[in-house]
Amino acid sequence: PLSVIVQRLNLMQVAGGHLDLTKIPITTSDVNRPGLQLSGYLEAFSEDRLQIIGWIESAFLSGLSPDVRASRLDDYFALGFPALVVARGLHVMPDMVSAADRHDVPVFVSGLETSRFASSLTWLLIHALAPRQEIAAGLVDVHGEGVLILDAEGLGSSETALELVRRGHRLIAAEVVEVRRIGDDHLRGEARHGAGHVIDIPGVGKVDVEELFGIGAIRTDGRITVVVVLESRDPDKEYERVGMSERVEDVFGVPVARVVIPVQPGRNLAIVFEAVALNHRQRTLGYVAAVELTTGQ
């Protein structure tokens, strides 16, 4: 709803105070600067977009005669968009307030420069409106890499996450990850609403990571860059030992690097996870150890 945007961006309302902002939905991350509409061209207008006025639009309106300005503003607000934000802390003309109240469109003021405000608003809308999906998994920030832990067999993902936190890494989600798709190749994950940063350790119970290790041991969200799958070691299965190519896992429609780790007694999974994260970072920077060794470079 519009009320969330107003709160997050610290906007000051100057018109439409009688409206319930919680009932005004925002459905698109696209925004509009209404230069054409204020000049009188009202065709092909997307009424679902938030509107932004900056110094140029304000200067244009100031140069119009009072009658023309009032008419243009009335026609503009009659289009019925969700809200208008006047950037740079510019003065809001009485004609604009009157037209906005007449057509039930709220108007706000932001002290940010127009381009900075547009960027902040777009970033907020893209993240808030991104498609979401819940995945039964854990998510830990390891050396800056978002490691999604898939453990369908109960092979110790909780204990591994706790050990990673103890080693200085940060927990994002313990059991269920809410995944957001930001664009075609960017996934971000966070804990399910209300779940907090609590790890359930069999035989111990629930452990609150923030209370136990401090605020520096958690993150509210993070980008998912690699998937680690834990499975019981199968003596008849051949596991990756060279690493010439990187396998991928489809996560919510986005291919993500995938590593399968066979679990057996006595194996230090936390160290393995750290190696996975650092190795993935090297790959993204263009260095593949197996290729360097086989080519002799």
Side-chain angles (χ1 to χ4, degrees):
L2 179 60
S3 57
V4 175
I5 296 171
V6 172
Q7 181 180 13
R8 292 283 296 275
L9 297 179
N10 195 28
L11 302 179
M12 181 179 70
Q13 188 167 4
V14 294
H18 61 288
L19 301 171
D20 186 353
L21 304 183
T22 63
K23 295 183 179 180
I24 300 178
I26 306 300
T27 59
T28 178
S29 59
D30 294 327
V31 299
N32 181 59
R33 294 190 64 174
L36 285 174
Q37 288 73 41
L38 296 177
S39 68
Y41 183 78
L42 304 177
E43 301 299 323
F45 179 79
S46 298
E47 67 277 358
D48 57 345
R49 297 184 182 185
L50 286 169
Q51 309 290 304
I52 303 173
I53 282 182
W55 183 84
I56 294 177
E57 293 86 357
S58 295
F60 173 76
L61 288 171
S62 297
L64 299 175
S65 66
D67 290 343
V68 173
R69 180 170 59 245
S71 176
R72 295 277 178 84
L73 287 170
D74 191 74
D75 292 341
Y76 171 55
F77 281 99
L79 295 172
F81 44 86
L84 169 69
V85 180
V86 180
R88 302 179 68 96
L90 295 169
H91 172 68
V92 180
M93 305 171 184
D95 290 343
M96 185 179 292
V97 175
S98 298
D101 285 335
R102 189 159 51 250
H103 294 287
D104 292 331
V105 176
V107 176
F108 304 90
V109 174
S110 171
L112 295 177
E113 295 179 354
T114 312
S115 58
R116 282 190 59 197
F117 175 75
S119 297
S120 298
L121 176 60
T122 301
W123 185 92
L124 175 61
L125 291 175
I126 287 174
H127 284 73
L129 299 175
R132 298 167 183 259
Q133 183 182 73
E134 288 190 352
I135 298 177
L139 181 59
V140 183
D141 180 307
V142 182
H143 293 307
E145 300 292 330
V147 181
L148 188 71
I149 309 172
L150 300 180
D151 177 13
E153 303 178 49
L155 296 174
S157 60
S158 298
E159 293 88 339
T160 301
L162 188 61
E163 174 62 14
L164 286 168
V165 170
R166 192 190 68 82
R167 295 169 69 92
H169 305 291
R170 293 182 290 176
L171 177 70
I172 299 172
E175 298 177 357
V176 178
V177 181
E178 186 179 82
V179 180
R180 289 172 288 140
R181 189 172 68 239
I182 312 295
D184 296 331
D185 62 350
H186 188 146
L187 293 176
R188 297 195 72 84
E190 61 186 9
R192 181 170 54 185
H193 180 69
H197 295 85
V198 177
I199 299 179
D200 189 359
I201 305 296
V204 176
K206 296 187 180 300
V207 175
D208 190 321
V209 171
E210 182 178 0
E211 290 293 328
L212 195 62
F213 295 96
I215 191 67
I218 65 170
R219 283 191 62 175
T220 55
D221 80 326
R223 183 170 183 175
I224 299 172
T225 57
V226 60
V227 175
V228 174
V229 181
L230 299 181
E231 65 175 41
S232 299
R233 184 176 185 85
D234 184 349
D236 298 323
K237 183 176 179 179
E238 185 175 344
Y239 293 95
E240 182 66 55
R241 290 185 177 274
V242 179
M244 289 289 290
S245 60
E246 191 171 53
R247 299 180 181 181
V248 298
E249 170 109 359
D250 184 278
V251 180
F252 201 10
V254 176
V256 182
R258 177 178 186 265
V259 178
V260 177
I261 297 180
V263 178
Q264 59 186 14
R267 193 170 193 188
N268 190 331
L269 291 179
I271 292 179
V272 176
F273 272 66
E274 290 177 332
V276 167
L278 292 174
N279 186 60
H280 176 72
R281 175 170 293 183
Q282 282 188 321
R283 282 181 174 273
T284 59
L285 294 175
Y287 177 84
V288 181
V291 174
E292 296 294 321
L293 290 172
T294 54
T295 58
Q297 298 178 355

